[in-house]
Amino acid sequence: MNNLRVVDMADNEKPVEKALMYGIDSLSDAELLAIIIKCGTKEHSAIQLAQLILNKDPVYKGIVGLNYLSLDDLTSIPGIGKMKAAQIIALTEISRRMSRNSFKDSLKLKDPKSIADYYMEKVRYLTREKVYVLYLSSALNLLSEEQISEGTIDRSLVSAGEVFKKALRLNASCIILIHNHPSGDPTPSEADISVTKKLIKTGEMLGIRVVDHIIIGDKKYFSIAERGYINEN
């Protein structure tokens, strides 16, 4: 790599100066990240370090790859210490929260697509399955959101006792389950359907309705209620 330092570049090529002269949208992904990194090393400029980061993930290259990098992944790059790594992770989390908040005002708990859109950025980049339960009032107002389970990359265990113990404590009338498929394909497994039916039966005995089980993939979702499983006899 060319070891030209950012400080030695022409002003119209330095990320900060370029942004001030031409606007922040004139910067490449690497230049934007270089502003966060601030300084490079003897071997690499800040821009070169940014390029290494953007190409670190073996599958997802470019800016989207930041969502898949852990603290250990980042600190394995020479020149990226814990502070810089934490700043980059904070940047990706801010981005995800901004995306979620853009859907917050349109979140309707009666609409599976609305729920999936809201939770998409929260879970679509996870490499392990996580299960969330939305506890609702009889009018479908949100009482609480709880993460109840985290499984391996392809398996997540859901305890009916844990789900409904919290529902009774919150005096919830209804629940909605949400979990992600790290593969990106939201098609439910046999276990997903089986767990849903088990929770429905338990809920009926306790007078707590399972409204839906929404599985989120990569920009796709599957609503078990929409597909008719909830209403089956």
Side-chain angles (χ1 to χ4, degrees):
M1 275 190 175
N2 187 338
N3 290 327
L4 177 67
R5 298 179 303 167
V6 171
V7 71
D8 296 324
M9 293 179 175
D11 283 348
N12 64 350
E13 291 297 327
K14 296 175 183 176
V16 173
E17 286 78 358
K18 184 177 176 181
L20 294 174
M21 292 172 68
Y22 305 115
I24 197 71
D25 59 345
S26 68
L27 272 59
S28 68
D29 292 345
E31 289 170 332
L32 287 169
L33 190 54
I35 291 178
I36 304 299
I37 294 171
K38 293 184 180 179
C39 58
T41 65
K42 290 181 179 180
E43 291 76 24
H44 301 295
S45 70
I47 293 175
Q48 291 168 337
L49 278 179
Q51 291 169 337
L52 290 173
I53 293 167
L54 293 173
N55 288 283
K56 176 64 175 176
D57 189 87
V59 177
Y60 299 97
K61 304 297 182 181
I63 203 78
V64 72
L66 295 179
N67 290 290
Y68 296 94
L69 298 180
S70 66
L71 187 71
D72 288 342
D73 292 329
L74 289 165
T75 54
S76 71
I77 299 172
I80 303 298
K82 289 184 178 180
M83 180 61 71
K84 287 182 180 178
Q87 289 172 332
I88 294 166
I89 289 174
L91 175 68
T92 58
E93 179 61 22
I94 288 170
S95 175
R96 285 193 288 265
R97 292 188 188 188
M98 288 175 65
S99 181
R100 285 186 70 201
N101 282 336
S102 69
F103 289 102
K104 193 170 186 178
D105 291 339
S106 61
L107 176 61
K108 298 183 180 71
L109 294 171
K110 295 180 182 179
D111 177 11
K113 184 179 185 304
S114 171
I115 297 171
D117 285 343
Y118 180 70
Y119 282 91
M120 187 68 68
E121 292 305 308
K122 183 181 179 76
V123 303
R124 63 183 283 217
Y125 299 113
L126 297 177
T127 57
R128 293 165 64 86
E129 287 194 12
K130 290 188 178 182
V131 180
Y132 300 86
V133 178
L134 306 185
Y135 293 95
L136 313 173
S137 69
S138 57
L140 297 186
N141 294 317
L142 182 63
L143 301 174
S144 180
E145 173 203 294
E146 304 277 346
Q147 179 188 322
I148 61 162
S149 179
E150 179 174 353
T152 62
I153 195 168
D154 60 355
R155 182 166 173 262
S156 187
L157 301 176
V158 179
S159 164
E162 184 179 358
V163 170
F164 289 106
K165 181 171 66 176
K166 291 182 179 179
L168 292 169
R169 189 180 73 239
L170 292 164
N171 199 28
S173 297
C174 313
I175 64 171
I176 295 174
L177 281 87
I178 299 168
H179 88 275
N180 64 302
H181 277 181
S183 67
D185 180 2
T187 304
S189 65
E190 290 184 9
D192 292 334
I193 300 298
S194 175
V195 165
T196 304
K197 290 182 175 180
K198 176 183 177 182
L199 291 173
I200 290 170
K201 288 182 179 179
T202 304
E204 286 173 348
M205 291 187 289
L206 296 172
I208 299 172
R209 182 163 64 99
V210 177
V211 175
D212 203 350
H213 182 177
I214 298 172
I215 304 168
I216 296 178
D218 188 6
K219 297 182 180 178
K220 298 178 287 186
Y221 77 94
F222 188 106
S223 163
I224 286 181
E226 280 186 334
R227 301 302 180 96
Y229 290 95
I230 297 276
N231 296 320
E232 286 182 351
N233 293 324

